[in-house]
Amino acid sequence: CTNSVGATASDSVTINIQQVQNPTVDIKANGQDGTLTLPFVQPFTLSWVSNNATSCSASNGWSGTKALSGSETRNPNSGFTTYTITCTNSVGQSATDSVSVVVQGDPELPTVDLRANGSNGPITIQSDTQATLSWNSQNATSCQARRTVL
């Protein structure tokens, strides 16, 4: 700086500029990226990890403020749902990642059709005679028989 009579003064200050890193985020469903396909409605786990972020928020199939890294067990709706997470750094830069879950359908309930001598009953047989029992089941992994005498 110079005054009216020509005297000068000077000063300096050093400024170190720290570059802010861009944030990143990665979300997975049951440990995989992209689309997770479930055979029927069953719980699954969303997990995410962010770097260089100061906050994260969820949208689409879920919502709210989320930790910078974490996991949640979710119960999906049937059909197709996308889960999105956005993480932001201290200067407002953000990163977004999504994962989708497809539920193919509800499990079929088991059915069984039991017949005695080919009939749905009731039938009457004489003592000391035999009846032939037959059955057909669907969507079952095992069957168990029980006898009831009236």
Side-chain angles (χ1 to χ4, degrees), residues 24-121:
T24 61
V25 65
D26 183 29
I27 187 171
K28 298 181 183 303
N30 282 357
Q32 75 179 50
D33 288 314
T35 301
L36 170 67
T37 301
L38 300 173
F40 52 88
V41 177
Q42 64 185 22
F44 67 96
T45 301
L46 289 176
S47 59
W48 66 97
V49 176
S50 71
N51 290 301
N52 307 315
T54 56
S55 65
C56 294
S57 63
S59 60
N60 288 331
W62 59 336
S63 62
T65 301
K66 301 298 177 189
L68 298 178
S69 297
S71 64
E72 279 185 22
T73 299
R74 308 286 302 181
N75 291 308
N77 298 322
S78 58
F80 182 89
T81 305
T82 298
Y83 299 87
T84 301
I85 190 162
T86 301
C87 296
T88 306
N89 68 10
S90 60
V91 296
Q93 297 169 318
S94 63
T96 300
D97 195 20
S98 296
V99 68
S100 297
V101 176
V102 178
V103 178
Q104 293 181 330
D106 292 331
E108 298 273 342
L109 294 175
T111 61
V112 64
D113 179 23
L114 176 63
R115 295 177 183 251
N117 290 344
S119 171
N120 283 327

